[in-house]
Amino acid sequence: MLKSIRAKILLAILTVTMFTACSLTGVFYFRAAGMIEENYSGILYGRMQQTIKDLDESLKEIYYVNTRTAWDTDIRNNAKEYSCTGNENSLENMAGLLREHSREYKDINSLYFVFPDNNTFSRNKNIIPVISTANQVTNINIPYLSIYFIFL
């Protein structure tokens, strides 16, 4: 094959050089890939933590709005009045109050009011106690057990 010693030495040097270059390229490639993967996963983890934090804050604020709404004396008085008299104006007033409470926080689209004594579920599209798209108050009769299963 190769008759000259010069060609043999040149081939040996070229083989060693190529092997070294390929080895170094492979090592640097895998190190760089590992660093990129670590950085990417770190960024994703940071974003995930921020998203979870934002979600937690959002749910906390929604909880506070719900609590303030639940203890609103006007809503409670209107609910009592509706339960005792069946006066539809009480539902209209409650729908307005719930609408106001729903505007306290941007992530709330609707609030619901449940009359457990007479198994009546009231809903307002913009915000609750009851409703249709025209913001009219409507009563939806749902058996109490169905409401129980919805919230499980």
Side-chain angles (χ1 to χ4, degrees):
M1 300 214 286
L2 296 175
K3 295 183 180 183
S4 101
I5 215 160
R6 186 177 186 185
K8 289 180 184 177
I9 291 175
L10 189 58
L11 182 62
I13 290 173
L14 187 59
T15 304
V16 169
T17 304
M18 290 302 291
F19 177 76
T20 304
C22 289
S23 297
L24 287 173
T25 300
V27 167
F28 287 128
Y29 171 79
F30 287 111
R31 279 191 178 174
M35 285 176 24
I36 290 169
E37 188 177 325
E38 266 183 46
N39 289 340
Y40 183 70
S41 63
I43 289 168
L44 284 180
Y45 184 72
R47 284 183 183 171
M48 186 177 67
Q49 280 185 319
Q50 185 61 43
T51 301
I52 290 171
K53 213 182 212 182
D54 291 344
L55 177 64
D56 188 49
E57 287 299 317
S58 180
L59 292 175
K60 195 184 312 178
E61 189 60 35
I62 289 169
Y63 168 78
Y64 292 142
V65 170
N66 283 336
T67 303
R68 283 192 299 272
T69 303
W71 288 100
D72 186 314
T73 54
D74 293 334
I75 290 177
R76 296 174 102 190
N77 291 337
N78 281 300
K80 259 186 206 170
E81 183 182 333
Y82 176 74
S83 294
C84 294
T85 65
N87 183 354
E88 294 289 325
N89 288 335
S90 298
L91 288 180
E92 292 283 351
N93 294 339
M94 287 175 63
L97 291 167
L98 289 170
R99 210 171 288 115
E100 287 175 28
H101 281 288
S102 71
R103 293 181 184 138
E104 290 179 23
Y105 189 65
K106 65 181 174 27
D107 290 344
I108 297 176
N109 328 356
S110 59
L111 295 172
Y112 295 86
F113 190 89
V114 177
F115 291 92
D117 294 337
N118 60 5
N119 300 333
T120 301
F121 181 77
S122 300
R123 171 180 163 192
N124 181 312
K125 180 160 193 195
N126 290 346
I127 282 322
I128 329 283
V130 174
I131 157 50
S132 70
T133 48
N135 291 330
Q136 296 170 345
V137 175
T138 56
N139 254 344
I140 304 167
N141 289 321
I142 298 176
Y144 185 71
L145 287 177
S146 297
I147 294 171
Y148 175 76
F149 289 122
I150 289 171
F151 293 105
L152 276 184

